[in-house]
Amino acid sequence: MISEQTKNWEIEKVDIQSVDPSNLDYDAQRLHDLGYKQEFKREISLFVQAGFSFTTMAVLPNWLVNFGTSMNAGGPSSMFWGWIVVVPFVICIALSMAEIVSAYPLAGGVYSWSFLLSNKQWGPFMAWINGYAYLIGLVTANITLAWTSAEFIFDVANVLNIKQIDSIGANVGLYCGIIIAATMYNLLGMKFSGYLNKFLVFWVGIGSIIIICTIPAMAPTHKSASWVFTQFTNNTGYENQALVFLLGLLQAGWTLVGYECGIQIVEGTKRADVTAPRGILICVISAIIQGFMLIISMLFSIQDLDELVNSESPLVTFILRATNVSITAFFLVILLVTQFASLSNHFHRDYDAYIWIYSLLASYNERVSYLHQCILWDHSIWEDLASP
């Protein structure tokens, strides 16, 4: 059970005080008013803050990853209208997060917010629950990003060679290699992550323009607007059309996530209470516009819906029919680099959060931080479960 000492620890919330913006230590003072000590060097600008979240979202490859699945679950109409349905909800969540991070510019993000926005009794438990829920999401997202990166590599090889590679063992081995490579890159630190994201903003921007413009320009035929906006396919086995539409809508839901990633580097951001919320909004608006343009370009360029539905690699088949072999390989490389960068950012986000936790634990001598108590809760529960 949790010791009496742990139960009696008091966790006090510190009210935010007004700070003179002309103060050179504005960010450090803001953290001090929240009860925390400045631990990170402030070297992140608005460009990097927004770019970090934007490249982590990786709308370009992640929307295309589920291209074949959504074709079977609703088809073109579900893919287009699903985006329209999801966008307003994403905007509302982004606005809420922007407001909260402005008030609490802490690298713990949603984990720390759960405590600060709750009361003394439930705060630690809410942070503990949120932390584990968030951890599950991060693990599954990282697995998906690494696996699809490996698939993009094999797709490039299969497009350029007659002999096809279909070994599951090779795919698993490459997947593990990608995980190791992304981990090793993050050991280089935040400065190199900044270099990566500055490069990727231009890579993703230029790559998106090339793909969005080239595919409809080279496509032999184009679908009509009525077909794009009303064509509904159901190969899921479910008879309920509404359920099928919701399954297709998951493509938009999966794509429009990750815009909160910049919160995990907020304590390394200059004038964080202003820069971080602006970064979230810039990221979300850019991702919505990018996704909408991508959807229109792809759907109007579909050549044979039945062939895509029955293909083992619908995305590769789609690009091949619209363009040619060389351009298909080139586009897959663009998607591969973007997806790997998204994976690296996910790892860096987790790495920064862990450093934040340990640095806070080391900075408190007179009182126990709320994170410390959450960890103690976790430790005590596992001890109780393990005890006979």
Side-chain angles (χ1 to χ4, degrees):
M1 298 297 294
I2 302 175
S3 65
E4 290 296 322
Q5 182 181 7
T6 303
K7 292 180 179 178
N8 294 330
W9 273 327
E10 293 185 357
I11 303 176
E12 300 178 355
K13 300 178 186 177
V14 183
D15 293 333
I16 299 176
Q17 302 173 1
S18 61
V19 180
D20 183 4
S22 63
N23 193 325
L24 296 177
D25 297 323
Y26 176 83
D27 289 300
Q29 181 64 47
R30 189 65 185 272
L31 281 182
H32 176 74
D33 291 339
L34 290 169
Y36 301 103
K37 178 183 176 182
Q38 175 75 38
E39 298 287 347
F40 299 102
K41 183 179 179 181
R42 301 276 178 176
E43 55 186 5
I44 298 176
S45 63
L46 175 61
F47 183 80
V48 175
Q49 174 69 226
F52 182 82
S53 299
F54 181 71
T55 55
T56 303
M57 290 183 72
V59 171
L60 181 60
N62 283 318
W63 187 83
L64 292 171
V65 161
N66 294 317
F67 189 76
T69 304
S70 296
M71 279 296 170
N72 286 289
S77 62
S78 179
M79 298 166 78
F80 176 81
W81 294 110
W83 189 268
I84 301 299
V85 170
V86 169
V87 162
F89 293 96
V90 171
I91 292 176
C92 290
I93 296 172
L95 289 171
S96 299
M97 286 190 168
E99 182 176 3
I100 297 173
V101 75
S102 179
Y104 303 104
L106 301 170
V110 294
Y111 185 49
S112 59
W113 297 344
S114 299
F115 173 81
L116 294 168
L117 297 175
S118 184
N119 56 37
K120 184 183 296 185
Q121 179 181 0
W122 289 99
F125 180 70
M126 291 296 103
W128 185 80
I129 291 295
N130 195 311
Y132 269 98
Y134 204 54
L135 174 63
I136 294 172
L138 291 175
V139 170
T140 54
N142 289 343
I143 291 173
T144 303
L145 294 173
W147 185 262
T148 52
S149 295
E151 287 188 332
F152 283 142
I153 294 176
F154 282 114
D155 286 340
V156 173
N158 289 334
V159 166
L160 297 177
N161 296 279
I162 297 177
K163 185 178 180 180
Q164 301 294 291
I165 303 174
D166 56 359
S167 171
I168 296 297
N171 209 327
V172 172
L174 187 56
Y175 157 79
C176 294
I178 290 173
I179 290 285
I180 294 173
T183 303
M184 296 299 292
Y185 176 81
N186 279 281
L187 295 178
L188 297 176
M190 187 176 293
K191 181 178 292 186
F192 282 89
S193 177
Y195 296 151
L196 172 67
N197 284 282
K198 287 178 181 178
F199 161 74
L200 282 172
V201 168
F202 294 102
W203 176 271
V204 174
I206 296 173
S208 297
I209 293 173
I210 292 174
I211 291 177
I212 290 172
C213 294
T214 303
I215 288 182
M218 294 188 64
T221 61
H222 299 92
K223 298 296 184 180
S224 64
S226 61
W227 186 89
V228 169
F229 299 136
T230 62
Q231 178 64 30
F232 190 88
T233 58
N234 181 10
N235 297 314
T236 62
Y238 297 106
E239 296 182 359
N240 190 316
Q241 302 297 317
L243 175 61
V244 175
F245 175 81
L246 292 176
L247 291 175
L249 179 145
L250 290 175
Q251 182 183 24
W254 156 256
T255 304
L256 291 174
V257 296
Y259 45 87
E260 84 290 350
C261 294
I263 298 168
Q264 268 66 48
I265 60 173
V266 71
E267 288 188 26
T269 302
K270 303 171 185 176
R271 190 62 192 270
D273 59 342
V274 175
T275 304
R278 288 179 179 176
I280 291 175
L281 298 181
I282 292 173
C283 167
V284 169
I285 294 173
S286 300
I288 291 172
I289 295 174
Q290 179 193 22
F292 184 77
M293 294 174 64
L294 182 65
I295 291 170
I296 294 297
S297 173
M298 300 300 104
L299 296 183
F300 274 95
S301 302
I302 292 175
Q303 301 301 301
D304 189 338
L305 180 61
D306 293 334
E307 182 183 24
L308 295 181
V309 169
N310 297 319
S311 174
E312 294 183 359
S313 300
L315 174 60
V316 176
T317 301
F318 164 73
I319 301 176
L320 277 173
R321 295 295 177 265
T323 59
N324 55 48
V325 172
S326 299
I327 292 181
T328 299
F330 174 60
F331 285 176
L332 289 173
V333 170
I334 293 177
L335 301 180
L336 168 62
V337 173
T338 307
Q339 193 76 322
F340 178 79
S342 177
L343 175 64
S344 298
N345 279 349
H346 271 274
F347 275 28
H348 191 83
R349 172 179 62 173
D350 304 343
Y351 175 72
D352 284 342
Y354 297 149
I355 291 180
W356 180 78
I357 291 172
Y358 292 125
S359 65
L360 282 180
L361 292 179
S363 66
Y364 286 90
N365 296 319
E366 298 181 356
R367 67 183 179 88
V368 179
S369 70
Y370 70 91
L371 281 174
H372 196 174
Q373 182 162 351
C374 293
I375 293 172
L376 288 172
W377 277 38
D378 184 18
H379 182 69
S380 301
I381 290 174
W382 282 110
E383 282 187 340
D384 290 343
L385 292 174
S387 61

